[in-house]
Amino acid sequence: MHFSDLGVAPTILRALEAAGYDTPTGVQAEAIPAAIAGRDLLVSAQTGSGKTAAFLLPALTKLSERSTGKGQGPRVLVLCPTRELAQQVEKNALEYGKDLRWMRTACLVGGASFGYQTRALSRPIDLIVATPGRLMDHMRSGRVDFSRLEMLVLDEADRMLDMGFIEDIETIVKATPESRQTVLFSATLDGTVGRMAEKITREPQRIEIARTETSGGTIEEHLLYADDLNHKHRLLDHILKESGFDQCVIFSATKAYSEELADKLSDQGYSAACLHGDMPQSWRNRTLNDLRRGRIKILVATDVAARGIDVPTITHVVNFDLPKQAEDYVHRIGRTGRAGRDGTAITLAESKEFHKVRRIEQYLKRQITEGVIEGMEPTRRPPKGPRRNGKPGGYGAQGQRRGGSSNGNGYGRDRREGGYGRGTGGSYDKRGPRAAGSSQGQRSTQRAD
Ligand code: AMP
């Protein structure tokens, strides 16, 4: 199958070819023709599935034809939970729409200058990508004209609701014409998201993509238990020295600690920086650019950064702290293994945090292979429980794996060989657990940022 079979406009096909997209991913194959046909869509798809192009290609196909509507407001509006994600979506739109030379886009996110955004809104505009808060600011000052809006996209709708944007979203939706097409992407379509989706869509087509789809490579996952914070630091030192990483993202639970850890690593001679939600947007942008250009080798980030970073050269992700929400685990590790490359994700957990690990595993519907580093074994073992899987030995006795037992970076080998994986190694296809299905794990609304 090719993108031209899905009805994507010829002017966009050239850009896709240049971007190296040969074949549509599963979510693209299903969502693109339906969206081009004008259907409302409810799509459950994970990051890494190619979901951004799944809504941008129909949107750009619409924009490739002249508007029949009056006014100069946006014809397409994409709402995103975070600034980084919004910027990434606009970047992709400009990449796929590079031959739509007349197309004008704006990215309306907090932390960026109002002046630039206001100027963009004062001229005819085709596509706006926005976070709800900043868009509402512009709407309050009467700067946004939705009279010719054709398509509304809610990207990562579950995340926007978790972040408390429900009222903003309702206000924004009310301000748009009823004739609009609505396309909603979310990890889950149940609960609050489902109820909201029912209100804002008309006879939507539901598309559920099992987590077995991606355009990414294989991510090898490991879990290392530690006794305490000091032990975690020793494990991290070892990982950074021995893993042969090219670029690494380390996730920390708090903003303060992300700064402290980045400073510590800089003092050790690494080119390290931190990224969290309290940093001015210009600084966040600069940091991401430096990461893309390879000037930063280690980025210490909080979860706010987990969804917007699309840097194919990130070879390793280290969860220095466990994520507060189980689903964030998937987003965090998805920062590596991008654009068809392989990656490694190592999660550190204190032994007393075993119940949090279980929660993540319940969400994933699989176990993460537990490993040890020789000479750095934890003195306390987490209790044996449901992880056991009916096999003697319990933890990590049988890791999940797809493809080879190691991606050649020393992880996932048998313990006797000095690697981390105790069993067969834990290679895991980023497409998701083999037992796939659209698992909806336990959720909490706590956020790190
Ligand atoms: P997303 O799920 O939208 O975050 O996309 C994940 C990654 O896959 C991004 O780096 C995209 O540029 C890339 N991608 C999306 N669709 C395709 C495709 N059909 N072929 C190759 N790469 C793709």
Side-chain angles (χ1 to χ4, degrees):
M1 194 192 295
H2 189 259
F3 284 101
S4 55
D5 303 326
L6 306 179
V8 175
T11 22
I12 298 160
L13 293 176
R14 277 199 299 274
L16 292 180
E17 214 172 291
Y21 293 13
D22 304 324
T23 321
T25 65
V27 68
Q28 292 164 358
E30 287 203 47
I32 292 172
I36 288 178
R39 291 288 304 263
D40 279 6
L41 299 182
L42 301 184
V43 188
S44 105
Q46 303 293 320
T47 183
S49 60
K51 66 180 175 61
T52 315
F55 63 76
L56 279 180
L57 298 179
L60 296 171
T61 297
K62 245 180 216 301
L63 295 181
S64 71
E65 284 164 21
R66 243 173 220 295
S67 164
T68 49
K70 291 203 173 72
Q72 58 172 22
R75 295 173 61 192
V76 176
L77 169 65
V78 182
L79 291 179
C80 297
T82 65
R83 300 166 187 181
E84 277 78 12
L85 185 61
Q87 287 165 337
Q88 184 63 43
V89 169
E90 190 197 27
K91 193 165 156 267
N92 287 356
L94 291 169
E95 184 184 5
Y96 309 147
K98 73 181 170 58
D99 294 323
L100 305 178
R101 296 191 190 285
W102 62 91
M103 179 175 75
R104 293 192 56 249
T105 67
C107 185
L108 309 181
V109 294
S113 126
F114 265 100
Y116 175 79
Q117 297 178 0
T118 308
R119 272 197 301 284
L121 288 173
S122 66
R123 291 181 290 170
I125 189 119
D126 299 294
L127 181 138
I128 287 180
V129 189
T131 49
R134 180 54 71 95
L135 179 63
M136 286 285 295
D137 289 342
H138 286 291
M139 285 167 64
R140 277 191 212 100
S141 3
R143 286 189 210 108
V144 194
D145 163 21
F146 282 130
S147 59
R148 64 169 190 164
L149 191 91
E150 294 164 49
M151 187 179 191
L152 168 67
V153 180
L154 280 84
D155 189 15
E156 303 199 356
D158 55 330
R159 184 64 162 185
M160 288 198 276
L161 297 189
D162 281 350
M163 291 171 76
F165 283 134
I166 187 149
E167 283 177 15
D168 286 355
I169 292 175
E170 283 173 353
T171 311
I172 293 166
V173 171
K174 272 202 199 105
T176 63
E178 286 212 355
S179 57
R180 69 167 193 273
Q181 178 183 13
T182 308
V183 175
L184 179 146
F185 281 72
S186 177
T188 163
L189 297 175
D190 295 340
T192 338
V193 180
R195 285 193 292 280
M196 183 185 72
E198 214 169 281
K199 279 197 243 162
I200 66 171
T201 56
R202 267 178 315 185
E203 296 172 27
Q205 182 174 330
R206 229 176 137 100
I207 298 174
E208 304 211 23
I209 300 291
R211 296 183 197 193
T212 48
E213 282 296 341
T214 190
S215 47
T218 299
I219 301 176
E220 200 172 285
E221 292 171 85
H222 304 275
L223 169 67
L224 299 177
Y225 275 109
D227 290 332
D228 51 26
L229 185 63
N230 273 339
H231 192 180
K232 285 209 287 187
H233 275 290
R234 283 192 288 122
L235 291 170
L236 179 65
D237 283 347
H238 179 93
I239 291 164
L240 295 178
K241 283 197 188 104
E242 303 298 327
S243 65
F245 74 94
D246 183 14
Q247 279 178 299
C248 176
V249 179
I250 301 175
F251 282 100
S252 140
T254 65
K255 298 165 193 168
Y257 208 71
S258 68
E259 290 183 7
E260 200 176 315
L261 197 49
D263 283 348
K264 185 171 177 292
L265 294 169
S266 300
D267 289 346
Q268 289 174 9
Y270 292 108
S271 94
C274 69
L275 189 73
H276 62 65
D278 274 358
M279 287 162 55
Q281 190 58 37
S282 54
W283 192 355
R284 280 161 72 167
N285 292 347
R286 205 162 48 236
T287 304
L288 279 178
N289 272 336
D290 285 347
L291 184 73
R292 272 188 207 106
R293 295 200 180 114
R295 286 194 210 131
I296 290 175
K297 294 294 179 197
I298 302 177
L299 184 75
V300 189
T302 59
D303 281 301
V304 75
R307 301 201 177 203
I309 304 174
D310 186 10
V311 179
T313 43
I314 295 169
T315 51
H316 288 67
V317 166
V318 177
N319 290 317
F320 188 79
D321 296 314
L322 288 171
K324 288 191 181 134
Q325 298 188 65
E327 70 195 68
D328 280 332
Y329 177 83
V330 177
H331 289 285
R332 285 178 174 195
I333 70 166
R335 296 316 100 200
T336 184
R338 297 188 82 80
R341 301 181 195 205
D342 292 339
T344 301
I346 303 162
T347 298
L348 307 184
E350 290 186 35
S351 308
K352 63 184 182 211
E353 294 178 306
F354 69 91
H355 55 281
K356 291 187 190 167
V357 173
R358 296 258 165 82
R359 223 165 39 220
I360 294 170
E361 292 179 331
Q362 273 166 17
Y363 177 78
L364 299 173
K365 293 203 163 84
R366 62 184 168 81
Q367 294 178 3
I368 309 168
T369 308
E370 187 190 328
V372 285
I373 296 177
E374 224 161 56
M376 291 191 188
E377 295 86 350
T379 53
R380 287 187 291 280
R381 310 287 305 158
K384 293 179 181 173
R387 231 184 116 86
R388 194 187 279 244
N389 244 0
K391 294 190 185 81
Y395 297 90
Q398 199 74 156
Q400 293 209 342
R401 127 184 177 187
R402 191 185 277 253
S405 64
S406 163
N407 59 11
N409 60 13
Y411 294 90
R413 284 176 295 157
D414 190 286
R415 188 182 186 186
R416 281 158 307 185
E417 294 172 33
Y420 298 154
R422 292 182 73 197
T424 51
S427 130
Y428 149 66
D429 193 313
K430 182 179 158 196
R431 287 171 251 211
R434 277 184 300 177
S438 56
S439 60
Q440 275 99 43
Q442 298 179 352
R443 298 157 61 86
S444 96
T445 47
Q446 271 183 310
R447 283 176 40 73
D449 248 276

